[in-house]
Amino acid sequence: MTARARVRAPELIGKGGWLNTGDQQYTLADLRGRIVILDFWTFCCVNCLHVLDELRELEEKHRDTVVIIGVHSPKFVHEAEHQAVVDAVERYAVHHPVLDDPELATWKQYAVRAWPTLVVVDPEGYVVAQHAGEGHAHAIEKLVQELEDEHAAKGTLRRGDGPYVAPEPVATHLRFPGKALALPDGGFLVSDTTRHRLVELDADGETVRRHFGSGTRGFADGGPAEAGFSEPQGLAVLPDGRIAVADTVNHAIRALDLATGLTTTLAGTGRQWWQGSATSGPATEVDLSSPWDIAWFGDRLWIAMAGVHQLWTYDPGAGTVRVAAGTTNEGLVDGPGAEAWFAQPSGLAAAGDRLWVADPETSALRYVDLDGTVHTAVGTGLFDFGHRDGPAEQALFQHPLGVTALPDGSVAVSDTYNHALRRYDPESGEVTTLATDLREPSDAVLVDGDLVVVESARHRLTRLRLPEEAVRVADRAHRTQRAATEVAAGILRLDVVFQAPAGQKLDTRYGPSTRLLVSSTPPELLAEGSGQGTDLGRDLRLADDVTEGVLHVSAMAASCDDDPANEYPACHMHQQDWGVPVRVTADGVARLPLVLAGLDERG
């Protein structure tokens, strides 16, 4: 049995209370005897959504010994609203208890630094492992089996039903719809995301004509009743008249023929893209990662690849896909496509010589020009957001998910977490508000001079007449509640903690199996230490004249089964991107530990 540090797990505290428990409130003492996995997540974060999917199999397999607790820890102001968390738990099919922690109390108690982070607590109430990012399900599965054996032998394991209580289902025509498309006959096609299907509606936006998809999570081609989708989002018309569909959780692009009702697969394998996977090739042989929206631009289908912070393209003539812009680093950096950074791009709209991009994690409106260069129209970075109109350089959005081209050359922005529809005019450089009192608008389509808005959290389409004058709202500017880490001036030691799972080791037969990439916003924050390397520890020298900023850290480690007799051991990738706000102070720390997997023994 592997020796482990004995660290008592702090209590679970959340002002918003518990969800999915039938109104029962819980403490860690109530869960004693069970293996508890705390999933620190926030519903804006696509990596957190990936982890929800990774945990589903483990959750089912160990239902009588493991209790997963989602600790909802908001980044954006909207995510601190209790009803928004209630909606998100249903929207993303979270089938375990969730603690709503709007003030990040439990996040701070566990010294969490990244969304998502998983913490494993043993049946006696001690923290035994921490994992940041994605790709840890296999390691946690091994640890759970180890803990089951150990505590069954000690008599400290308690089996039985968990505290999860399913909420009552609600009957509506749509449930958390994602995107919409206007059809030539005046009707609409809508991605009914939570119900894993597409819905065709009449021109009134309410009367249902047809459903496409079985209505349960799956990945299958076929007719309206046989086709399987998994949380579909974006829709776009292809030159041959078929409708392309961003099948988000299937990591695929599908095609629906409205004339025959048949769904086929254009791109993707059903597997999620990981670092080291192919970035171009035959479309049905290359892995994708959470495609969220699609648009036809420049003789290609462009794909907002939210899961890896990139834009990809699909060429229907050649039947191929490739990366078009983005490095996989999360942030806001303009320039040639190969150098640009995005932050979970989720909305696309083609207009003349520009492809507009809603980039929600930076609360930004971006665009790509015909030569592939990326520009920012509105937005400043990962941690600044709000609702402010005026000149683009000072205007603020809050996690916008959609963008719509308007006839006058301006664009409407579905400003999702501000519950508003905004407008950006490239001619004047001004941002205005068109409408408020929407509920999580995620897309809008232009119909006869009006905008039909997808009100995702009201489960409906809402028709709005474009106002002649902008709506006036009070300015609101925010920064994330996450506190900056206070660091000392001079040398800052960065340690990414990685401990290979039991029965595995770092495989160095073909060279280093770890990677560390460090940069900063502003770039001047780091006098030394930026760039890529293979060691997971590095000395960073902070500039003398910059007192605050954000450290961007991307780490990757590959571990393989430690069995000399196995010529082809199974290997697993672990990766995470951190954006760590820092402030230089006289009594700040000189070491910054970031746990990728394991425990920080020097903590």
Side-chain angles (χ1 to χ4, degrees):
M1 187 70 200
T2 305
R4 301 191 193 90
R6 301 281 283 176
V7 179
R8 176 65 72 179
E11 191 50 83
L12 304 178
I13 305 166
K15 189 175 181 180
W18 290 80
L19 305 176
N20 282 355
T21 63
D23 295 326
Q24 179 72 36
Q25 307 299 299
Y26 283 92
T27 66
L28 277 176
D30 298 325
L31 303 173
R32 198 63 49 82
R34 312 298 290 272
I35 300 164
V36 178
I37 300 173
L38 303 178
D39 176 13
F40 290 86
W41 71 298
T42 188
F43 63 79
C44 73
C45 163
V46 71
N47 309 93
C48 300
L49 305 185
H50 291 167
V51 167
L52 286 175
D53 293 326
E54 289 177 4
L55 292 176
R56 294 187 200 280
E57 183 177 345
L58 182 145
E59 192 168 21
E60 181 60 34
K61 182 177 179 180
H62 298 275
R63 185 170 294 280
D64 65 334
T65 59
V66 170
V67 175
I68 296 177
I69 304 291
V71 183
H72 189 267
S73 311
K75 171 184 175 181
F76 291 97
V77 168
H78 170 60
E79 293 175 309
E81 297 176 15
H82 182 69
Q83 185 57 48
V85 182
V86 173
D87 289 343
V89 167
E90 180 188 352
R91 181 195 298 265
Y92 296 116
V94 180
H95 293 162
H96 51 248
V98 172
L99 177 65
D100 181 10
D101 183 18
E103 297 177 346
L104 301 181
T106 298
W107 166 287
K108 294 170 186 172
Q109 287 291 315
Y110 281 81
V112 174
R113 295 183 185 275
W115 295 279
T117 291
L118 298 170
V119 176
V120 182
V121 180
D122 74 12
E124 294 179 286
Y126 291 93
V127 174
V128 292
Q130 182 171 326
H131 302 265
E134 306 175 48
H136 302 294
H138 175 79
I140 292 176
E141 163 77 20
K142 292 278 191 184
L143 177 57
V144 164
Q145 292 174 352
E146 224 179 83
L147 290 170
E148 285 178 344
D149 293 342
E150 175 187 353
H151 288 274
K154 290 174 65 175
T156 50
L157 183 68
R158 178 166 56 91
R159 295 180 181 271
D161 293 335
Y164 171 67
V165 177
E168 290 293 323
V170 182
T172 54
H173 291 311
L174 300 171
R175 204 70 190 163
F176 298 104
K179 306 287 185 181
L181 183 70
L183 300 175
D185 65 359
F188 300 93
L189 187 68
V190 183
S191 52
D192 194 15
T193 305
T194 297
R195 289 183 175 150
H196 315 296
R197 63 187 183 181
L198 308 178
V199 179
E200 185 181 358
L201 301 174
D202 271 340
D204 61 6
E206 297 180 2
T207 304
V208 176
R209 293 176 179 171
R210 291 185 289 177
H211 297 118
F212 301 95
S214 64
T216 58
R217 193 186 298 273
F219 188 16
D221 291 343
E226 296 81 32
F229 297 96
S230 187
E231 299 182 29
Q233 288 280 349
L235 306 165
V237 180
L238 294 168
D240 64 7
R242 291 182 298 165
I243 310 298
V245 182
D247 194 4
T248 304
V249 179
N250 278 329
H251 311 295
I253 304 298
R254 316 293 291 284
L256 169 65
D257 188 330
L258 285 174
T260 64
L262 289 176
T263 295
T264 55
T265 299
L266 295 179
T269 62
R271 298 184 300 269
Q272 184 183 338
W273 188 95
W274 289 93
Q275 292 287 352
S277 301
T279 56
S280 65
T284 55
E285 298 176 17
V286 176
D287 299 339
L288 308 180
S289 182
S290 297
W292 209 277
D293 203 8
I294 45 183
W296 189 262
F297 175 70
D299 299 323
R300 299 286 188 276
L301 184 72
W302 285 67
I303 306 166
M305 204 74 76
V308 285
H309 317 299
Q310 290 181 315
L311 303 181
W312 287 45
T313 58
Y314 166 70
D315 180 346
T320 56
V321 292
R322 69 174 183 87
V323 175
T327 64
T328 74
N329 295 106
E330 183 179 17
L332 192 151
V333 176
D334 291 342
E339 301 172 11
W341 292 20
F342 292 95
Q344 211 169 296
S346 300
L348 298 176
D353 59 358
R354 291 182 178 182
L355 177 69
W356 293 97
V357 183
D359 206 26
E361 282 298 292
T362 51
S363 296
L365 176 64
R366 321 278 296 277
Y367 67 90
V368 182
D369 61 25
L370 288 174
D371 68 6
T373 301
V374 177
H375 309 262
T376 297
V378 183
T380 57
L382 284 167
F383 300 108
D384 296 294
F385 55 92
H387 191 149
R388 179 190 288 156
D389 290 333
E393 58 269 18
Q394 68 177 43
L396 294 171
F397 298 123
Q398 186 180 179
H399 198 81
L401 288 177
V403 59
T404 307
L406 300 178
D408 64 357
S410 66
V411 290
V413 178
S414 295
D415 194 4
T416 309
Y417 288 2
N418 279 328
H419 309 300
L421 193 67
R422 313 284 293 283
R423 176 178 179 266
Y424 169 67
D425 182 0
E427 188 76 22
S428 66
E430 292 281 321
V431 174
T432 53
T433 297
L434 298 175
T436 58
D437 195 31
L438 301 167
R439 187 69 187 172
E440 292 193 16
S442 55
D443 193 20
V445 293
L446 191 68
V447 179
D448 298 330
D450 295 341
L451 279 171
V452 176
V453 180
V454 180
E455 278 198 271
S456 189
R458 283 199 177 114
H459 320 293
R460 70 187 189 192
L461 302 186
T462 300
R463 193 172 188 120
L464 299 176
R465 189 164 299 281
L466 285 173
E468 294 182 6
E469 294 185 4
V471 176
R472 296 191 180 277
V473 297
D475 285 355
R476 296 189 297 274
H478 306 289
R479 284 182 65 82
T480 179
Q481 292 188 71
R482 178 182 174 185
T485 299
E486 296 190 350
V487 298
I491 299 296
L492 176 65
R493 177 63 184 179
L494 171 66
D495 286 320
V496 173
V497 178
F498 179 77
Q499 296 160 2
Q504 294 196 337
K505 66 176 182 178
L506 291 174
D507 188 355
T508 56
R509 290 176 299 171
Y510 307 109
S513 57
T514 57
R515 187 192 73 165
L516 179 65
L517 177 65
V518 181
S519 61
S520 65
T521 303
E524 297 76 21
L525 175 66
L526 286 178
E528 296 177 13
S530 61
Q532 184 169 312
T534 57
D535 292 336
L536 293 181
R538 187 180 302 180
D539 287 334
L540 310 178
R541 181 180 294 278
L542 303 177
D544 295 333
D545 54 350
V546 181
T547 58
E548 63 179 342
V550 179
L551 291 175
H552 302 282
V553 181
S554 177
M556 182 180 71
S559 61
C560 300
D561 290 343
D562 187 8
D563 182 0
N566 186 354
E567 185 178 356
Y568 303 104
C571 296
H572 302 272
M573 190 72 71
H574 314 262
Q575 66 182 53
Q576 171 62 11
D577 294 335
W578 291 267
V580 183
V582 296
R583 183 181 302 114
V584 179
T585 62
D587 54 353
V589 299
R591 176 175 177 264
L592 178 62
L594 300 176
V595 177
L596 179 60
L599 292 173
D600 179 22
E601 304 293 353
R602 294 175 57 187

